[in-house]
Amino acid sequence: MNITDISTNYVTSLLDNSISSAVVAKAKKAASEAESADKNNDEELMAACKNFEEYFIEQILKEGFKTINRDDSDMSASSKSLLSYYEDGLAKEIASSATDQGGYGLAKIMYEQLSRETYTMSEVRQRQAEEAAQAAQASEAVSTAVADEIVEET
């Protein structure tokens, strides 16, 4: 064996390893970036769902305040305006607190619904057909196993 062969093989091996390492590092970086982008998208979606739930609760409370019977005939226009301002602020604060403490589950349901993958009807039918075929195969396998067991017993 020649010393130049060893050094050439060694250098080739080092180059292969460094190229492989660079490719792996780039792939890991790309995967990490994609994962963080997905995580950011998920966080943004959940934040949007929580904001909607907060707004929804606030609107329900505002409409609920309108149903309160009160005699405000002797109130001035500025007093009515001030009362309306504080009721709106109270509704907003209650809605915000409720959402921060977990809300009523609307945000979670919306998030789950919106984060699902969407499929066309042909894709849905194809998935259903594949699932039915798998179920039929499993059923056939069970039937065969039961039949074999019965034959063995007799």
Side-chain angles (χ1 to χ4, degrees):
M1 202 179 241
N2 192 347
I3 222 133
T4 57
D5 292 335
I6 293 172
S7 64
T8 304
N9 289 338
Y10 179 71
V11 170
T12 304
S13 173
L14 284 176
L15 285 174
D16 287 345
N17 287 340
S18 65
I19 290 172
S20 296
S21 297
V23 169
V24 168
K26 279 189 175 184
K28 284 183 179 178
K29 183 179 178 185
S32 173
E33 288 173 353
E35 187 176 305
S36 69
D38 285 346
K39 186 176 179 184
N40 288 342
N41 287 342
D42 288 345
E43 289 171 357
E44 289 175 3
L45 178 59
M46 189 58 168
C49 292
K50 284 183 178 182
N51 286 340
F52 179 80
E53 181 179 26
E54 182 178 328
Y55 175 76
F56 185 71
I57 294 169
E58 180 182 343
Q59 294 307 310
I60 290 172
L61 290 170
K62 285 181 181 180
E63 291 302 313
F65 288 152
K66 291 179 184 177
T67 65
I68 298 173
N69 289 329
R70 60 177 150 236
D71 184 20
D72 57 359
S73 58
D74 59 342
M75 291 177 72
S76 68
S78 61
S79 295
K80 289 179 186 178
S81 175
L82 190 59
L83 179 63
S84 175
Y85 172 78
Y86 282 111
E87 284 178 344
D88 289 348
L90 179 63
K92 186 165 185 60
E93 190 59 37
I94 291 171
S96 178
S97 294
T99 304
D100 289 344
Q101 295 174 4
Y104 295 101
L106 179 62
K108 181 181 175 192
I109 292 169
M110 288 177 57
Y111 173 80
E112 289 172 356
Q113 198 72 30
L114 293 172
S115 63
R116 287 185 184 167
E117 292 185 35
T118 55
Y119 300 102
T120 63
M121 285 307 294
S122 61
E123 290 173 330
V124 169
R125 288 187 190 104
Q126 181 181 0
R127 281 181 171 246
Q128 288 173 341
E130 290 171 358
E131 289 171 359
Q134 289 174 352
Q137 287 175 349
S139 176
E140 184 178 321
V142 168
S143 297
T144 304
V146 169
D148 290 344
E149 191 174 309
I150 291 172
V151 169
E152 288 176 5
E153 288 178 3
T154 56

